Every structure is written in C-alpha cells, then in structure tokens.
C-alpha cells in the first residue's frame, strides 16, 4: 500500500512540481527517501539560496507521518541547528498527521515555514528569541548563513 | 534514678500499732504547718536502686555515741530531732536526713541509715544555691566512689538553707518536743492523740514524674507527623484526581487524543466488528448505490440509499490515493461516511486504530475507560517535552525517576522528527531481530522490549519477498499486502505500558510511597 501510494504521489509531483522545488530520488531503488531542492522564498532572508531537504517516508506511510530534514544548514527557529537539521511541527507531528495528508501539502508547509517561521513552536530557542526580539539581527544572520551554506 | 524535685511536708497518720478501725492519713496544709517544695535545686548524688516512687518519713540516723561526729553534728542537729525510734517501725518507708559535714561523718551517717528508701543530705554552708555537681570534690568520700555501690539507695542533696529549715522542723515534729503543734493538728484533723504527725518527703524522679510528659510529647509529635502525612496524602490524591478529571475533560472535548499520542493503547477493532461495517459497490454521487450481490456485507440495509449519496462524493481512496472505479470498486464505509478500499482500511482498523484516517472519528463508540495517573503523567511530560523540545534538551529532567520517560520521549522524538532514526536506527534493529528470531530463535536481542513476540512462516515469506514489486495478480497482491500489514502490526507499546512496567520494577517501598503520595514518582 505504502509503495503504491508513494509511487503515485511521486509521479504526480514530478508531473506537477510545486513552485520553486525540484524533487528527485537519490537512489532509484528506495522510494522511501526523497531529495527536495527548495529555493528560498522571495522576500524572506533565505532568498537566493537553494536548500537541500530529505524527506523520509516510514514503512507505515501513510499511517505515520513522513519526516523532513534540512541537509543544508539553515538559520531558522524551527530547524535544529545540528547535522540532522530536523524539523518537527504542525502536520508532521505524529498526533496531528492524517493518512489523507499528502506529500504535496507537506512540502507546501515546509516552504511556507521558510517565509513565516513559527517562533512559538521553535526547536532552536535562541534563534526564536532573536526572531521575536531582534528581527534585524535575525534577518542579518539568516542572510549570512544563506550566503555561506545555501549558494546556488 | 535521678530526681528533679522534692517535696517535704507534714503528714498526720494513724498509729499502725493501734487497732484502729479505719487508719487515716492526712497531709497537713502548708499554711497550718510547713512545706518545702523545690524543683530546681535538687542534686542527685547516687541513683542506686531508685526505681518507683521515692518517698518516706524523714529521720536523722543515730550515730554511735563514741563517734566523734556526734559532737561535730550537735551544731546542726538539734537533740530533739526526729529519730528512727520516733517513727512507727512498720508499714512506712523512711528517708534518712543529715548534714554533709565531712567525709568521715557522712560515712558514719550512711552506715547508720536504717531500712532506707533514700538518703537526703544538705551542705550546711551551701546557702540556697543548688549543691555542687556530682563529680565535685565536695562529695569525695576518699573511697573512689565505692559508697555509691555499697549503699543500695539513692542519695540526694538539697540546698543548705532548705536543709537547715528542714532540720528545725524535724525537731519540732518529732514527738519529743514540748511544742503543742502536733496536738493541735491531731485534734483539728480528728486523729487520735497517740497518732503521728511527722515530716514526709517525696522525690519527683524522672521515672515517675517526667516520663509521662516525655511520652505525651512524643505522642504529640507522632500525631502531628501522621496528621501532616495524611494531609499531604489527601492533598496529593486530590490534585491527582483533579488532573485526571481535567485530562478526561480534554479528551472528551477532543483537545487531546491519548491514542495518537501513544499514551493509551489504541483501541483496535476485531475483524468481526470490521466485517459489520457496510460494503458497497462504488457509484458516483449522482447514481444510486448498488448494494446487491455483496454477500460479505452483513448489514448493508441499515444505511439507506439516500444517506450514501453524501459520502459517495469522494472519488478516491485517501489511503492509496487510487480513484474508485464507478460500479466496479468495492468500498467500505465508516460511520462518519468516509469510504475506503476495504483492503486499505481493514488492516488500519484491525492493527492500528479504530479511527477514521480522515476525520479521526471513532468507528466504535467511545469506551469510557478511566484515565489513570500514569496517563496524566505521560500526557504532561509529553506536553512539556513538546514545549521545551530543543530549547533545553536536558532542562526538564535531571532526576532519576524521569529517566525512563526521558528515554521513551527521546525515542518518540527521534521517530517523528529525525529522518535518520526511523530508517537507520529503529527499523533495521527491529528487522534484524525479526530475522534473527526467524533464523535462530535463540539469538539474544539487544532491544528486548521491541522484539515482536510471534513470528510466522508467512511473515518470513513477506520479508524475503519485500524487495520485489508486489505480485500483479489481484488476490496474490492482496495476500501479499495482508502479510506485510500483519508484520507491520507488531506489539505496539504505549507510554501507559512503559509506566506500568516502570512501576512494576520499583521496590515495594517506592510503590508504597507512590500510592500514599501519588505524583511523587
């Protein structure tokens, strides 16, 4: 069931890719690992950068949510600042996930998060505080990281 | 036994020798006679044999007439003082009384004591202060303290001034004086003229006097402690109950779902219940549903045709995303009117949750299972973890009793946030164990709690065939899917289970503490 649905979703996304995203499979044999290249949204401090994300689909998919992680370092309150770069919020949480949600929605959600970080649901407390209290500094740092790590 | 106080007073009593029909005793009030009560200047010199009440008639022992102490004592001891011979020889206890003049004289007095309950000394020049401590040179009888062992009665010392007064009174109430006080007392209290009026001394020992207060004090302390424990326990139980109720309310309002949080075991549906859910042949919204020719559906008529129109507007199965083919595809309808392929929804209901994957409505009516303290704790920790997630990984739990939870939460967090963990850490280990279990059935597992309990041949088949694409044939594919799903099922552990196990592992006293003080860990 998982395999079939994943293939279907993958081909749909290939046919009709979301704005500013490139989706590919690092290994043709493994449909459960996807690579997403996402352009920093216009107007955000991530503009001009390209971020690599990894989407992992559990074997229990669609009953369990996929997990999304940034392979490119990013200065963002909702992404862990370690080599995992994991993000966990909203629809990706086990208790909020519904099997009827689709990967298309997950990716849209990730892109929206780049434009609008959610500091109240942050994993990086320091960055969240900066985002709330000193936006200028946050934008400066985020831009610097984008330049350094997310070059085209 | 050391004494804290003593009381010397005048006692009138019938002559034990006379054949009186009703022998009497009367304590003569101080205003009519004399009394010394002192509870702060008494010194205990020897505690030998001092059990029980120490009291008796007061007298001055008779020294041997040749003893030089007789002359030395004259200065302090009046000639008409009460002697042993002035007291009734039976029925009473006696307390000897003498001045402590010198070591030699004290020895003589001690030796002369008769039928004693105790000996009371006074230092004539001591004034009204407490006599010196026991180890003071004053009390040295040059025998290395042997006298204390030798004389089997307790020895006390009272201040000099009190001793002097007592000695004077002892002369007045001896029966040897011309004083008419005795006669007036005897007549006033209606005693016989041959009866006695003498000094009587009673010592308040810590054995008889102070212990009860000590016990009372201990009992009060114990009572207060018990009361505090009880109050704390009641308060904690009260708060636990409130928390349970609060969680119950939130569950009822749909704010939290303990099953999806992994706190409570998901309620799964038995296949028999699933079979009761109606199956239809899919017909697009405008057409009439056709439920004929479906032998499997046991109660399709319970749903009327008009009801079905609303939910047949779904054109595809949200689980596999395949479109339904009008008049061909068989669909299963849940009470919430969401429809799925039976082969998609049935395994979900049977193995994962009895909820609709789209709207999370329960397929079975809610069983009102009670909320336990463990659930409250698990839910709170989970919430806390989500709130602090990442901000301070070690912030919430430094204590040991949280470690189990922490481990559990850590695992959960990894599973739904870190992509590597799902596929790289947890899954391979688990499949490895499965493989091992199949191959050897005796391989010790590194993660015993995760080991699926039973492995069947069919599951092995499913595993070995996993790499290949599913078989093309429909029935074969369905069988393949079922095998895969039943393998996926596994024993799903919940936080509630973890809590129960943690509880079972605790030593008995910790469990007792936990029962009395719930929420204490």
């Amino acid at each position: 069931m998982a395999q079939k649905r994943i293939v279907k979703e993958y081909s749909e996304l290939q046919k009709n890719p979301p704005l500013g995203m490139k989706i590919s499979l690092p290994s043709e044999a493994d449909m459960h690992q996807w690579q997403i290249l996402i352009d920093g949204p216009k107007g955000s401090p991530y503009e001009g950068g390209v971020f690599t994300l990894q989407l992992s689909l559990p074997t229990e998919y669609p009953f369990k949510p996929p997990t999304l992680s940034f392979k490119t370092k990013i200065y963002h309150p909702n992404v862990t600042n370690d080599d995992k770069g994991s993000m966990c919020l909203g629809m990706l949480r086990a208790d909020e996930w519904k099997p009827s949600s689709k990967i298309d929605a997950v990716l849209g959600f990730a892109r929206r998060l780049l434009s609008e970080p959610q500091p109240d649901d942050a994993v990086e407390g320091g960055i969240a505080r900066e985002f709330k209290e000193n936006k200028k500094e946050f934008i400066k740092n985020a831009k610097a990281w984008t330049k350094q790590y997310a070059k085209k | 036994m050391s004494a804290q106080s003593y009381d010397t007073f005048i006692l009138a009593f019938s002559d034990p020798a006379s054949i009186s029909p009703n022998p009497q005793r009367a304590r003569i009030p101080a205003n009519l006679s004399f009394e010394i009560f002192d509870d702060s200047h008494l010194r205990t010199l020897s505690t030998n044999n001092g059990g029980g009440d120490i009291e008796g008639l007061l007298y001055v022992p008779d020294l041997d007439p040749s003893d030089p102490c007789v002359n030395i004592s004259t200065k302090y001891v009046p000639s008409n003082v009460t002697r042993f011979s002035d007291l009734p020889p039976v029925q009473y206890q006696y307390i000897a009384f003498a001045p402590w003049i010198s070591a030699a004289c004290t020895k003589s007095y001690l030796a002369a004591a008769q039928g004693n309950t105790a000996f009371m000394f006074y230092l004539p020049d001591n004034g009204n202060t407490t006599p010196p401590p026991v180890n003071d040179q004053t009390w040295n009888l040059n025998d290395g303290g042997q006298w204390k062992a030798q004389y089997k009665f307790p020895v006390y010392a009272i201040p000099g001034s009190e001793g002097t007064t007592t000695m004077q009174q002892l002369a007045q109430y001896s029966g040897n004086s011309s004083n008419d006080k005795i006669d007036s007392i005897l007549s006033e209290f209606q005693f016989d003229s041959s009866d006695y009026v003498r000094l009587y001394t009673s010592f308040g020992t810590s054995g008889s006097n102070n212990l009860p207060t000590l016990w009372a004090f201990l009992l009060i302390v114990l009572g207060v402690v018990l009361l505090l424990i009880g109050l704390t326990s009641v308060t904690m139980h009260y708060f636990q109950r409130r928390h349970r109720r609060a969680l119950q309310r939130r569950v009822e309002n749909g704010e939290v779902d303990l099953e999806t949080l992994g706190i409570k075991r998901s309620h799964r549906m038995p296949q028999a219940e699933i079979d009761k859910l109606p199956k239809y042949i899919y017909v697009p919204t405008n057409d009439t549903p056709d439920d004929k020719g479906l032998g499997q559906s046991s109660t399709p008529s319970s749903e009327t045709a008009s009801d079905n129109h609303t939910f047949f507007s779904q054109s595809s199965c949200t689980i596999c995303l395949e479109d339904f083919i009008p008049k061909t595809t068989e669909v299963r309808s849940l009470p919430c009117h969401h429809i799925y392929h039976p082969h998609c929804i049935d395994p979900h209901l049977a193995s994962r949750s009895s909820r609709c994957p789209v709207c999370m409505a329960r397929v079975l009516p809610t069983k009102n299972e009670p909320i336990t303290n463990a659930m409250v704790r698990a839910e709170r920790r989970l919430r806390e973890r989500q709130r602090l997630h990442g901000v301070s990984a070690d912030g919430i739990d430094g204590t040991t009793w949280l470690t189990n939870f922490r481990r559990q939460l850590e695992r959960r967090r990894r599973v739904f946030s870190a992509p590597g963990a799902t596929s790289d850490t947890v899954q391979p280990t688990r499949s490895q164990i499965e493989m091992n279990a199949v191959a050897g059935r005796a391989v010790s597992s590194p993660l015993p709690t995760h080991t699926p309990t039973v492995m069947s041949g069919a599951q092995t088949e499913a595993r070995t065939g996993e790499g290949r694409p599913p078989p093309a044939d429909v029935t074969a594919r369905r069988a393949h899917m079922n095998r895969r799903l039943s393998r996926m099922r596994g024993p799903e552990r919940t936080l509630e289970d973890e809590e129960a196990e943690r509880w079972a592992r605790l030593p008995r006293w910790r469990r007792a503490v936990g029962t009395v003080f719930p929420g204490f860990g």
Side-chain angles (χ1 to χ4, degrees):
Chain A
M1 186 185 309
Q3 193 79 5
K4 213 168 140 196
R5 168 162 167 168
I6 292 168
V7 171
K8 193 178 164 78
E9 288 202 63
Y10 184 77
S11 54
E12 264 176 21
L13 284 166
Q14 285 299 339
K15 240 184 275 168
N16 209 348
L19 186 72
M21 283 191 211
K22 284 197 193 78
I23 299 157
S24 59
L25 294 175
S27 154
E28 285 292 333
D30 188 1
M31 286 299 293
H32 289 265
Q33 303 293 331
W34 295 17
Q35 193 190 58
I36 324 281
L37 293 178
I38 186 165
D39 293 332
K42 275 209 173 88
S44 76
Y46 310 105
E47 190 179 341
V50 178
F51 297 88
T52 311
L53 279 81
Q54 192 186 6
L55 182 85
S56 302
L57 298 153
T59 46
E60 291 94 338
Y61 184 80
F63 297 114
K64 284 200 173 161
T67 54
L68 199 56
S69 60
F70 276 75
K71 294 291 128 189
T72 310
K73 257 173 109 71
I74 182 167
Y75 195 81
H76 193 286
N78 303 104
V79 181
T80 59
N81 189 9
D82 54 17
D83 47 353
K84 279 189 192 131
S86 30
M87 54 184 290
C88 160
L89 74 162
M91 61 192 293
L92 290 175
R93 276 201 190 126
D95 50 325
E96 283 180 35
W97 174 257
K98 285 180 183 178
S100 50
S101 314
K102 289 161 82 175
I103 295 171
D104 186 31
V106 171
L107 297 178
F109 172 77
R111 194 180 154 80
R112 207 162 46 249
L113 202 63
L114 287 184
S115 315
E116 301 158 15
Q118 295 179 15
D120 292 328
D121 214 352
V123 291
E124 288 294 335
I127 300 179
R129 221 169 297 128
E130 192 181 78
F131 180 84
K132 277 205 260 189
E133 289 160 13
N134 191 353
K135 198 118 179 200
K136 261 189 194 161
E137 186 68 23
F138 166 79
I139 291 173
K140 204 182 104 191
N141 284 330
K143 274 186 176 164
W145 281 40
T146 306
K147 226 176 183 180
Q148 193 180 345
Y149 300 109
K151 266 196 213 143
K152 270 190 182 166
Chain B
M1 208 166 291
S2 64
Q4 269 67 48
S5 67
Y6 81 100
D7 189 7
T8 299
F9 53 90
I10 305 298
L11 185 75
F13 54 97
S14 314
D15 183 0
S18 73
I19 315 143
S20 165
N22 43 349
Q24 291 182 56
R25 277 178 76 149
R27 181 180 171 149
I28 310 304
N31 56 354
L32 292 178
S33 56
F34 145 86
E35 183 186 359
I36 293 177
F37 175 79
D38 195 331
D39 60 357
S40 52
H41 301 100
L42 187 68
R43 181 72 70 196
T44 303
L45 300 182
S46 165
T47 57
N48 226 332
N49 254 9
D53 291 342
I54 297 167
E55 56 184 14
L57 295 165
L58 214 56
Y59 75 98
V60 178
D62 288 304
L63 298 179
D64 191 90
S66 60
D67 195 319
C69 290
V70 175
N71 283 333
I72 304 173
S73 299
T74 353
K75 188 174 154 199
Y76 310 104
V77 183
S79 57
N80 56 355
V81 83
T82 311
R83 297 287 176 177
F84 195 69
S85 52
D86 298 322
L87 302 175
V90 286
Q91 211 177 5
Y92 281 90
Q93 293 183 318
Y94 310 96
I95 289 173
F97 180 64
W100 188 294
I101 308 162
S102 66
C105 293
T106 299
K107 275 181 178 172
S108 303
Y109 274 119
L110 283 168
Q114 288 167 282
N116 264 16
T117 308
F119 209 123
M120 184 162 83
F121 281 106
Y122 71 101
L123 290 170
D125 304 322
N126 173 237
N128 55 7
T129 58
T130 311
V134 185
N135 50 7
D136 194 271
Q137 242 345 87
T138 319
W139 314 117
N140 189 2
L141 295 187
N142 305 317
D143 64 353
Q146 239 189 335
W147 62 275
K148 293 183 187 177
Q150 189 183 346
Y151 299 104
K152 306 283 183 203
F153 46 78
V155 179
Y156 303 104
I158 59 170
S161 56
E162 290 175 11
T164 309
T165 314
T166 305
M167 195 57 91
Q168 284 162 8
Q169 296 297 325
L170 207 52
Q172 282 194 29
Y173 295 92
S174 64
N176 303 327
S177 85
S178 51
N179 196 306
D180 57 359
K181 259 193 177 169
I182 290 180
D183 294 332
S184 62
I185 288 171
L186 284 176
S187 61
E188 186 171 342
F189 289 86
Q190 296 169 354
F191 278 90
D192 208 68
S193 59
S194 66
D195 286 345
Y196 291 87
V197 177
R198 297 290 183 269
L199 266 71
Y200 195 88
T201 297
S202 148
F203 291 95
T205 62
S206 48
S208 57
N209 237 354
N210 291 7
L211 261 191
T213 55
L214 192 74
W215 275 111
F217 176 73
L218 282 178
L219 278 176
I220 288 168
V221 168
L222 198 74
V224 168
V225 167
L226 281 176
L227 190 78
L228 283 178
I229 289 177
L231 275 178
T232 316
S233 179
V234 165
T235 315
M236 288 176 98
H237 274 287
Y238 170 74
F239 276 106
Q240 289 294 321
R241 206 173 88 134
R242 256 181 44 163
H243 288 151
R244 284 200 303 273
R245 291 223 166 145
L247 187 60
Q248 181 87 55
R249 260 199 306 279
R250 287 170 57 214
V251 168
E252 279 161 12
N253 294 346
E255 288 168 43
V256 279
D257 184 349
L258 298 176
E259 287 168 24
T260 46
L261 283 174
I263 291 168
K264 198 163 132 188
R265 192 172 296 103
S266 287
H267 188 78
R268 294 161 197 170
M269 286 178 76
Q271 192 59 46
E273 289 288 325
I274 296 172
D275 288 339
K276 281 186 197 161
L277 296 169
K279 274 202 262 186
Y280 304 100
I281 294 292
Y282 174 75
V283 195
T285 321
N286 300 333
D287 297 2
T288 320
D290 179 11
D291 57 9
K292 278 167 199 161
L294 279 167
Q296 303 102 309
S297 55
S298 50
T299 56
S301 48
S302 61
E303 300 271 338
T304 65
S306 57
D307 281 342
N308 295 339
H309 278 285
T310 50
F311 58 84
F312 278 176
S313 57
Q314 286 170 250
S315 64
S316 66
C317 171
T318 51
I319 294 175
C320 65
L321 304 180
E322 294 290 331
D323 289 336
F324 298 127
I325 304 160
K327 300 194 174 177
T328 307
T329 313
E330 194 186 355
V331 294
R332 170 91 73 200
S333 157
L334 303 191
C336 54
H337 297 329
H338 286 112
I339 54 174
Y340 304 90
H341 289 122
H343 64 264
C344 289
I345 191 67
D346 289 7
H348 169 78
L349 295 174
S351 66
R352 299 196 50 82
S353 153
S354 63
R355 286 164 178 267
C356 169
V358 170
C359 63
M360 296 293 171
R362 285 170 191 275
V363 176
L364 285 178
T366 319
K367 266 196 198 167
N368 259 337
E369 286 166 57
I371 303 280
T372 63
N373 285 344
M375 290 182 193
V376 172
R377 279 199 290 276
E379 197 269 338
R380 194 166 45 206
R381 304 255 160 75
L382 208 63
R383 209 149 24 100
E384 242 170 49
R385 167 59 78 172
Q386 267 173 8
R387 191 165 54 80
L388 299 170
H389 170 71
V391 177
S392 148
D394 303 313
I396 52 166
D397 38 21
T399 43
T400 49
W401 56 277
L402 270 169
T403 353
N404 282 305
F405 252 115
R406 189 186 169 182
R407 215 172 296 140
Q408 170 68 12
L409 289 165
E410 203 64 53
R411 198 167 64 228
R412 286 179 57 77
R413 187 165 75 102
R414 256 190 279 131
V415 167
F416 61 71
S417 73
T422 331
S423 48
D424 301 345
T425 327
V426 180
Q427 289 312 109
T429 325
R430 186 164 157 177
S431 18
Q432 234 170 22
I433 297 161
E434 287 176 15
M435 299 278 237
N436 288 346
V438 173
R441 286 187 188 271
V443 185
S444 68
S445 108
L447 279 177
T449 49
H450 288 267
T451 316
T453 44
V454 185
M455 292 297 298
S456 71
Q459 286 165 337
T460 325
E461 210 177 284
R463 171 145 291 281
T464 45
E466 192 176 30
R468 298 194 299 268
D473 171 42
V474 180
T475 45
R477 202 168 61 200
R478 191 163 298 164
H480 169 85
M481 196 64 73
N482 282 341
R483 261 174 282 148
R484 278 196 57 171
L485 282 164
S486 64
R487 186 173 50 75
M488 251 162 63
R489 208 172 298 167
E492 215 172 86
R493 286 166 51 74
T494 61
L495 287 177
E496 193 192 4
D497 294 338
E498 295 265 319
E499 183 72 9
E501 263 173 40
R502 190 179 70 85
W503 184 254
R505 274 198 306 271
L506 286 178
R508 194 168 291 183
W509 69 270
R510 287 276 304 268
R511 271 185 271 170
V513 170
T515 312
V516 179
F517 302 119
F520 205 66

